[in-house]
Amino acid sequence: MVGVVVGQMAMAGTAYAQENRFQLSAQLVETYDSNILRLGDLRTDSPTDNVSMSPRVAVDFERRFGRQRAYATGYAGYNFNSRFRFLNREDLALNSGLDLRFGPRCRITPTLSVLRAQSDLEDLGQVVTNAATIQDYNITASCPRPAGFYPTVGAGYYRVDNSEIRRERDQSIVDARFGIAYARPSIGDFELFGQIARIQRARRDPTPAGLLQDETDVRTVALRFSRDVGTRFETALQVGYTNVNPRMVDVPSFSGLTYQGSLTYQPTPPINLTLGFGRQVSGRGNLGTSYYVSDNVELRSSVKLSARTSASAGVQLSRRDFAGEDRVFQFGPRGRDRQLDASASIGYRLARPINLDLSTRYRQRDAENDFYDYNSLAATLTAAMSF
């Protein structure tokens, strides 16, 4: 979601100067991962730890043109690995967008995200090199009113392109969303919307009538409610019904309740606590499935310890049910898995142009097929110098 910062009219000149920026930085990212191959005891007894180093050039751009806004953040680098050099790969990322205002209330927000990097070996199911390019385009439009009804529309296009060895994993997702929103300051904001999506994968299976492409249609009708209580509480809850209709005859369909929610509490300005939960249907990622149903709950926190130091931490529990898994999983499909993700980070501004960030992450995966169980501990140190 595109954020907008609005200053008071009396300070418009100062706010404008602060919001426009163009910053380049040189970064060095070093990561230790205890299990970069994502292998468990059933798959190997050899060392799986690795240290990687990635020099990068990063950009942070934001510009206002009257009421309009453009922004872009990203980096370009190369990842060098100490033990498993076959994973050496370019590492590129870009997030950009526009916030366009029309008339007194209407806005259009197109966004673009691009990522190119080595796939996480958990997703691939095998220890193989694979460069994945992920593109994500979205556009939303609405004319919010302080009180009353107004329409909302949106559309998106998501695409994954893989190396030749995993070309069958290529996929694209097209979706569209139409809704009617209602705002009432004393209660909150409501939105009733319908969303349709088509997941299309490069995989083709032979049938008596010929090759059949893996396509899945997803339809959702949902009601969303959100409300801010002063400056301390932010709440959002979405409840809907989702129907999934795969084209492949051996892929099960799905119909049922889907939902997601979050509660954010800010007891004092430097502290932020967020509780989130949800049950969603998705086809995104490089997981080798027609689609999957995920249930998750997470708790995140962040705190500004001083003018130079900030910290954050989070824990997430999730369960995924995979449908239509690729036959590349030679030792049987995963079926279902459970994951525990715990993370923590601290950032320190050493001097005006220099920033240091230290983060850690622990991940444990328990799959229905024990062959895919694993756990890993990673620590990342990032040093950045701005110009």
Side-chain angles (χ1 to χ4, degrees):
M1 181 178 294
V2 178
V4 181
V5 180
V6 180
Q8 296 181 3
M9 293 300 294
M11 302 182 64
T14 302
Y16 185 89
Q18 291 174 343
E19 291 164 1
N20 292 335
R21 66 178 181 272
F22 179 77
Q23 181 175 287
L24 286 174
S25 63
Q27 300 180 353
L28 183 62
V29 182
E30 190 163 3
T31 301
Y32 167 79
D33 195 317
S34 67
N35 189 1
I36 195 172
L37 300 183
R38 306 299 186 243
L39 301 178
D41 294 338
L42 296 180
R43 303 178 70 177
T44 185
D45 55 3
S46 300
T48 60
D49 59 313
N50 180 80
V51 176
S52 66
M53 183 178 65
S54 178
R56 297 173 177 173
V57 176
V59 62
D60 185 3
F61 165 80
E62 183 173 344
R63 179 77 179 180
R64 284 187 176 275
F65 306 90
R67 298 173 61 207
Q68 322 306 327
R69 173 175 172 257
Y71 70 91
T73 60
Y75 60 82
Y78 196 89
N79 197 28
F80 298 92
N81 293 274
S82 62
R83 186 186 297 273
F84 302 104
R85 297 183 179 179
F86 71 93
L87 296 177
N88 291 357
R89 182 75 60 227
E90 65 274 15
D91 192 5
L92 312 172
L94 172 67
N95 291 287
S96 61
L98 300 172
D99 188 358
L100 307 176
R101 302 299 184 106
F102 300 91
R105 295 188 301 266
C106 296
R107 66 188 299 187
I108 299 177
T109 56
T111 62
L112 161 66
S113 297
V114 179
L115 173 68
R116 180 173 174 82
Q118 164 66 36
S119 298
D120 192 314
L121 294 180
E122 174 194 312
D123 301 338
L124 299 180
Q126 290 181 317
V127 180
V128 294
T129 181
N130 179 69
T133 302
I134 301 175
Q135 305 171 64
D136 192 1
Y137 307 86
N138 283 279
I139 184 169
T140 61
S142 63
C143 296
R145 302 176 59 184
F149 291 94
Y150 59 91
T152 62
V153 297
Y157 178 71
Y158 175 88
R159 181 178 179 87
V160 178
D161 293 293
N162 294 283
S163 299
E164 186 65 34
I165 194 172
R166 281 292 180 268
R167 189 66 68 193
E168 195 176 59
R169 291 281 185 91
D170 291 357
Q171 69 169 216
S172 63
I173 304 174
V174 180
D175 68 84
R177 171 173 165 164
F178 308 89
I180 295 293
Y182 175 74
R184 187 170 180 178
S186 60
I187 300 178
D189 297 333
F190 297 86
E191 183 187 9
L192 178 65
F193 67 89
Q195 185 171 18
I196 57 175
R198 169 162 289 184
I199 306 168
Q200 186 175 73
R201 304 181 63 223
R203 185 182 74 166
R204 297 173 182 268
D205 278 1
T207 69
L211 292 177
L212 184 64
Q213 187 162 16
D214 187 350
E215 293 182 349
T216 303
D217 291 327
V218 183
R219 298 178 176 86
T220 299
V221 176
L223 176 65
R224 179 177 176 82
F225 167 76
S226 61
R227 186 184 184 188
D228 297 344
V229 182
T231 59
R232 292 194 173 189
F233 287 97
E234 296 179 9
T235 60
L237 178 64
Q238 177 181 307
V239 180
Y241 186 84
T242 298
N243 176 264
V244 182
N245 182 27
R247 186 180 180 190
M248 308 287 284
V249 295
D250 60 341
V251 179
S253 59
F254 171 85
S255 294
L257 190 70
T258 52
Y259 54 87
Q260 57 182 343
S262 65
L263 172 63
T264 299
Y265 175 51
Q266 295 177 306
T268 58
I271 302 176
N272 184 293
L273 299 172
T274 300
L275 172 66
F277 59 92
R279 176 179 174 83
Q280 295 294 309
V281 174
S282 179
R284 292 193 168 212
N286 215 350
L287 301 175
T289 62
S290 300
Y291 71 94
Y292 58 92
V293 181
S294 64
D295 298 89
N296 66 84
V297 59
E298 63 177 333
L299 178 64
R300 302 189 307 273
S301 64
S302 62
V303 58
K304 191 171 180 61
L305 300 173
S306 68
R308 291 189 175 188
T309 308
S310 60
S312 64
V315 61
Q316 176 175 286
L317 296 171
S318 61
R319 186 186 73 177
R320 298 178 297 182
D321 291 300
F322 301 108
E325 295 192 67
D326 287 347
R327 295 182 177 86
V328 71
F329 298 109
Q330 300 176 0
F331 297 92
R334 295 158 297 183
R336 172 185 298 175
D337 73 2
R338 292 178 175 84
Q339 283 191 337
L340 166 65
D341 284 275
S343 62
S345 66
I346 186 167
Y348 180 68
R349 189 173 184 178
L350 183 64
R352 184 172 183 83
I354 301 175
N355 290 279
L356 299 176
D357 290 277
L358 176 64
S359 63
T360 60
R361 187 203 70 231
Y362 175 76
R363 177 178 295 174
Q364 179 179 323
R365 178 185 185 182
D366 181 13
E368 189 174 21
N369 183 343
D370 295 342
F371 183 79
Y372 299 102
D373 292 353
Y374 80 90
N375 60 74
S376 72
L377 177 65
T380 299
L381 177 64
T382 303
M385 176 176 288
S386 302
F387 301 99

